Amino acid sequence: MKKYNNNELAAMYCNCCGKKLKIEHGIVKEGVFTAEISWGYFSEKDGEQHNFDICEDCYERMIEKFKIPVECRNFKEFL
């Protein structure tokens, strides 16, 4: 969950555990997984948009439960 102050990111919390993530000058200074989905036809949430942020620890716990592992590739350039 993100909180803004004058269009600058002021605070961010993990939607899963509630941990406050480290922010400096509007920049997140630790690993975070951000998701956004706009639900469409054929779902029970048609017309809803969901957004959430998960800290790296909660992300690891979440993907451990997957039957099919996440696809992981290394990259050389950081944007």
Side-chain angles (χ1 to χ4, degrees), residues 2-70:
K2 297 175 185 77
K3 297 208 176 220
Y4 292 89
N5 187 10
N6 295 327
N7 293 327
E8 183 176 292
L9 183 61
M12 181 183 274
Y13 299 88
C14 174
N15 283 81
C16 190
C17 70
K19 172 185 170 184
K20 185 175 183 179
L21 304 173
K22 186 176 181 180
I23 304 290
E24 288 182 9
H25 307 292
I27 299 170
V28 184
K29 294 290 195 166
E30 61 182 289
V32 62
F33 173 78
T34 298
E36 178 180 296
I37 178 133
S38 297
W39 294 97
Y41 298 120
F42 312 112
S43 84
E44 296 295 319
K45 298 168 186 62
D46 189 14
E48 293 180 13
Q49 185 178 48
H50 294 193
N51 301 293
F52 60 90
D53 303 294
I54 298 177
C55 72
E56 196 167 357
D57 290 338
C58 288
Y59 173 82
E60 289 298 326
R61 284 192 292 276
M62 179 180 69
I63 67 170
E64 283 176 359
K65 298 174 187 173
F66 288 2
K67 298 286 184 202
I68 301 170
V70 298

